[in-house]
Amino acid sequence: MKNVSILMLLVGVLSSSGALVAQVWIPTGTETRRPSALQFDSGASSYRGDYYGFVSPNFTYNHGSKFGYSFSLPINILALDRDPVTEGSKPGKIRDIDYNSKADYFRVLNYISYGTYNQQVPGKITYSIYTGKVIDGYIGHGTIVNKYQSASRFDSYNPSVMADVNSDYAGVQYFSNSVSNFDVNAARVYIKPLAIGRKIYSMFGNGSGGMVYMMNIRGKVLDDAGRKSVEEEIDPDAKASETKTKEIRPINKDSRMEIAEEDPWYNRLTLGYTNAWDKSAPVQISYNTNGSPVTEVNLDNPKTKDVTKVSIEGYDLEYRLLNLPFLEFTPYFDFNRIKNLDNSTGTHYGAMMRLGTKDLNLIFKPELRQMTGNYAPIYFDSFYEIERFQSFPTGAPIRTKLEQLQNQSNTTVKGYYHTIYINFYHLGFEFALEDYGGKDKQRIFAAAYIPIGSSFKLSFFYTKKGYDGQGKAFQIDENAQGAAELSKSFGPLMLRLQNYRRYYLDSSEKTFQSTDELRVLVSGGISF
C-alpha cells in the first residue's frame, strides 16, 4: 500500500439540504467549526493487507459563534485477516491497536473549542482554548513548535491543547501534545513595549498624542470571526439591508490580515519569550539480547531505560511594517537554544508577506537559518510523536531524536525554510521547503484544497523529512506521511475515498514503520 499514499484529510459534512461543506488545510483552532450536525460515516477499509468494516457516528454542535464541540466513535471491525494471520483474530473483532490503552479512548473526542487561537483584536482582550485533534499545532513563528500532528500514528491518539490570551499590551500562548499525559508542552509570553510605553505616557504625560495617531496606518479587511465592522459599530442599521450568510473563515498563522480597522504603529512591535519542553524525552531505548527494542505492553511504545527533560527556550522579535488591505509585511527574528546540549543554538531571520485581499492573495514566508549542527529547528514537528523514539531519517538500530543530536558536532550549518500560500477564493494551496545543503537535511510540505463544481472536492497534505536530494522529495518511503480525500455528493449522501499514511509500532520488527490505510465511505446525516 505504500505506493498509494499522499495527502490531506478533508473534513467534509453533508447538510440536510445536500450541500457539501468542507474545510481547507488551515491552522488548528480555526478549522474546528464544523456545522452543527448528527452524521455518520460507514464503509470499508484496508490496512496492512487486512480488510475491515468501518463505522463512525458523529455529533457536532455549536453554541453561538465561539463555543463548539464534536464527538465521534470510529470503529474498525475485522472482516478478512489475510496472511500473516494475527494470533487471536476473528471476523467481527475490533482492531486491536485502536483501543488497547487508556489514551486510545480519547479517539471519541474530535474537539472542544472556545474562541479562535492567535486572534488579535486591537482594543480588546481575546482568548481561546482548543482541545482535540491537532493538524497544525504551533507557537509563535513556528521555529520551535510547528505543524505538530497529534494523529501521526495509527496506534496512538493524543488530543492536544492550544490556548491563548491576547491584548494590546501582552499575551500568552500555550500548547500541549496530549490531554492524557502532557508530555510535550510549550508556552510563549509576549509584550508590546511601544504600546505599554504609550499607555504609561498617556497616563502621566501632558501631550495630546496627535502625532501618534497621524502615523497610524489602518487596514480595511473585515474580521473572519464575524465581528462587526466599524460602520456597523457606529450605525447598527447601516447594513441592515444586506443579507449575507456568515462563513467561518481561517486566520492564517503567517499573516495578520484579520487585524481589521485599527492597527496603530505602536501596537506592531512584539517581543516574545518561549519555553518548550518534553518532560520525559527518551534518551536511550531498552534492547533485548537479540538487539531488538523492548516494547511496553498496551502502550504501543518502545520501552526506555533512560529519560530526561528536554527544554528549548527562544527569544523573538517582530515589527509589522505594513498592514494595508492589499499589502502586509512583517519581518521577524528568532533566537533559540536547546538547553540540554552544549552550544546548541539556532538563529532564524524571516518575514511574513501578503499580497492581495482576503479572498485572493499570496502569502510568502521566507526564513533564513544559521545554527549549530546539534540544534534542530522545529524540534517539535509533524514527526515528533515518532521521533521521541526513532529519529528521521529512519534506520536501524532506532535512535531517539535527543540521542542523535547528542552525537552531532556543533559546527555552523546554514539553510532556509520557505513557505508559500496561495488562496483563490475557496481554493487553497500551501508549499514549504527546508534545505541545509547536506545529506538527509531536507524537508518538504505540500497541501491543497480543490473544490471542482459544487459537489466534488479534492484535499490533501504530504510531508517528508530526512531525504537525500530534492529528487527524492516525493518518493514515498518510511520518512513520509500524509492523507488525501476525494469526495462526491449524490443527493442526500456523499461518497468519500480516503487514504492515510501514518506510523505504527511493528511488534515483530520492534520499530516504527509507515503504512497506508485506504477507506471507501458513504456519509450522510442531518444538520441543525
Side-chain angles (χ1 to χ4, degrees):
M1 293 289 294
K2 292 181 180 179
N3 60 335
V4 180
S5 172
I6 347 205
L7 326 187
M8 172 178 178
L9 170 63
L10 165 70
V11 179
V13 277
L14 191 65
S15 70
S16 58
S17 63
L20 185 64
V21 182
Q23 297 286 1
V24 191
W25 168 265
I26 51 180
T28 297
T30 62
E31 58 85 36
T32 56
R33 296 315 171 102
R34 308 177 186 180
S36 296
L38 179 63
Q39 61 192 67
F40 69 89
D41 296 323
S42 62
S45 65
S46 173
Y47 175 74
R48 299 182 63 197
D50 300 331
Y51 294 95
Y52 296 83
F54 178 83
V55 61
S56 180
N58 174 274
F59 176 76
T60 300
Y61 193 75
N62 294 318
H63 293 267
S65 61
K66 289 188 176 182
F67 176 59
Y69 47 82
S70 179
F71 298 91
S72 61
L73 184 61
I75 299 176
N76 290 281
I77 303 171
L78 182 63
L80 178 62
D81 189 357
R82 301 173 64 187
D83 290 335
V85 176
T86 305
E87 182 179 355
S89 67
K90 60 181 180 179
K93 185 178 180 180
I94 295 177
R95 191 167 68 181
D96 288 337
I97 63 173
D98 291 341
Y99 297 99
N100 66 343
S101 67
K102 292 181 180 179
D104 284 337
Y105 289 92
F106 280 103
R107 294 180 191 272
V108 301
L109 173 64
N110 292 323
Y111 66 81
I112 300 175
S113 178
Y114 180 87
T116 301
Y117 184 74
N118 200 26
Q119 184 180 69
Q120 300 177 29
V121 184
K124 296 183 180 180
I125 297 176
T126 62
Y127 51 91
S128 72
I129 183 168
Y130 171 91
T131 179
K133 179 181 178 181
V134 162
I135 58 176
D136 189 13
Y138 70 97
I139 286 283
H141 299 134
T143 59
I144 299 176
V145 181
N146 197 14
K147 285 185 168 53
Y148 201 97
Q149 289 268 1
S150 66
S152 58
R153 293 172 54 181
F154 285 112
D155 51 9
S156 177
Y157 180 76
N158 281 321
S160 302
V161 179
M162 296 177 70
D164 69 344
V165 178
N166 303 286
S167 75
D168 284 346
Y169 309 105
V172 61
Q173 295 176 321
Y174 173 75
F175 168 83
S176 179
N177 74 319
S178 174
V179 296
S180 62
N181 52 46
F182 292 92
D183 280 333
V184 177
N185 301 272
R188 175 177 178 258
V189 178
Y190 69 85
I191 62 171
K192 297 185 177 183
L194 295 181
I196 294 174
R198 182 182 180 279
K199 183 66 175 179
I200 294 174
Y201 178 77
S202 66
M203 293 173 61
F204 299 101
N206 296 321
S208 64
M211 290 299 296
V212 168
Y213 285 100
M214 288 179 64
M215 297 179 66
N216 179 17
I217 301 177
R218 298 185 177 185
K220 298 183 180 298
V221 180
L222 297 183
D223 174 65
D224 290 333
R227 296 192 303 272
K228 293 180 180 180
S229 66
V230 169
E231 292 84 0
E232 290 173 310
E233 294 285 356
I234 297 173
D235 183 2
D237 299 323
K239 295 192 176 184
S241 60
E242 297 184 17
T243 58
K244 183 174 68 173
T245 302
K246 291 290 185 182
E247 181 185 3
I248 296 163
R249 299 293 304 277
I251 293 175
N252 193 298
K253 67 179 181 180
D254 292 325
S255 170
R256 293 274 66 81
M257 70 172 70
E258 73 279 7
I259 296 181
E261 300 296 330
E262 290 285 350
D263 189 26
W265 66 271
Y266 51 82
N267 201 44
R268 299 180 183 185
L269 177 65
T270 302
L271 303 178
Y273 171 77
T274 300
N275 190 15
W277 67 96
D278 184 341
K279 68 178 184 180
S280 56
V283 180
Q284 290 185 327
I285 304 297
S286 296
Y287 293 92
N288 294 310
T289 55
N290 62 1
S292 63
V294 179
T295 55
E296 297 183 9
V297 179
N298 291 336
L299 288 181
D300 302 318
N301 290 326
K303 189 174 182 179
T304 56
K305 65 178 181 180
D306 185 18
V307 299
T308 189
K309 179 181 177 181
V310 173
S311 183
I312 304 170
E313 67 176 0
Y315 303 86
D316 64 84
L317 178 152
E318 74 171 40
Y319 187 81
R320 190 163 52 253
L321 288 176
L322 295 172
N323 187 33
L324 303 173
F326 57 89
L327 180 63
E328 178 184 346
F329 179 62
T330 305
Y332 65 86
F333 167 83
D334 283 35
F335 176 79
N336 307 323
R337 72 183 185 101
I338 302 176
K339 298 167 69 174
N340 300 69
L341 302 175
D342 293 336
N343 300 316
S344 176
T345 61
T347 306
H348 306 250
Y349 310 89
M352 297 174 285
M353 298 183 287
R354 170 180 56 87
L355 179 64
T357 59
K358 179 187 297 185
D359 290 320
L360 179 60
N361 62 69
L362 184 148
I363 299 171
F364 182 42
K365 183 186 177 184
E367 183 178 292
L368 300 178
R369 295 171 169 176
Q370 180 171 311
M371 67 197 76
T372 57
N374 60 348
Y375 170 83
I378 318 180
Y379 192 94
F380 303 108
D381 62 4
S382 302
F383 297 87
Y384 191 71
E385 291 288 317
I386 302 96
E387 279 198 296
R388 297 182 78 233
F389 309 99
Q390 176 173 300
S391 62
F392 283 78
T394 59
I398 67 175
R399 303 175 69 183
T400 68
K401 186 168 189 172
L402 181 60
E403 183 182 8
Q404 184 190 45
L405 287 176
Q406 287 175 334
N407 291 283
Q408 300 294 318
S409 66
N410 57 5
T411 57
T412 300
V413 176
K414 296 182 179 181
Y416 63 84
Y417 182 68
H418 301 331
T419 306
I420 188 169
Y421 307 85
I422 301 174
N423 300 294
F424 184 80
Y425 293 93
H426 294 288
L427 280 75
F429 302 90
E430 179 178 348
F431 183 79
L433 187 64
E434 179 182 31
D435 196 343
Y436 301 104
K439 184 179 180 181
D440 302 327
K441 298 294 185 181
Q442 291 83 29
R443 180 201 306 258
I444 193 170
F445 177 89
Y449 168 71
I450 307 170
I452 303 175
S454 60
S455 63
F456 184 82
K457 303 288 187 295
L458 165 66
S459 185
F460 71 82
F461 84 87
Y462 170 84
T463 185
K464 183 178 179 179
K465 68 183 294 188
Y467 54 91
D468 185 14
Q470 298 300 343
K472 297 182 179 179
F474 291 98
Q475 185 179 94
I476 310 301
D477 57 22
E478 300 298 330
N479 300 320
Q481 66 171 313
E485 178 175 285
L486 287 170
S487 62
K488 176 70 171 70
S489 61
F490 295 92
L493 299 176
M494 177 168 54
L495 179 66
R496 306 166 70 186
L497 176 64
Q498 300 176 339
N499 191 86
Y500 298 87
R501 167 160 286 257
R502 295 176 182 165
Y503 294 85
Y504 71 99
L505 181 60
D506 191 301
S507 58
S508 59
E509 298 293 334
K510 301 296 193 301
T511 186
F512 286 95
Q513 295 185 352
S514 59
T515 190
D516 295 306
E517 180 180 50
L518 181 65
R519 293 178 183 171
V520 180
L521 303 176
V522 175
S523 302
I526 56 173
S527 62
F528 46 83

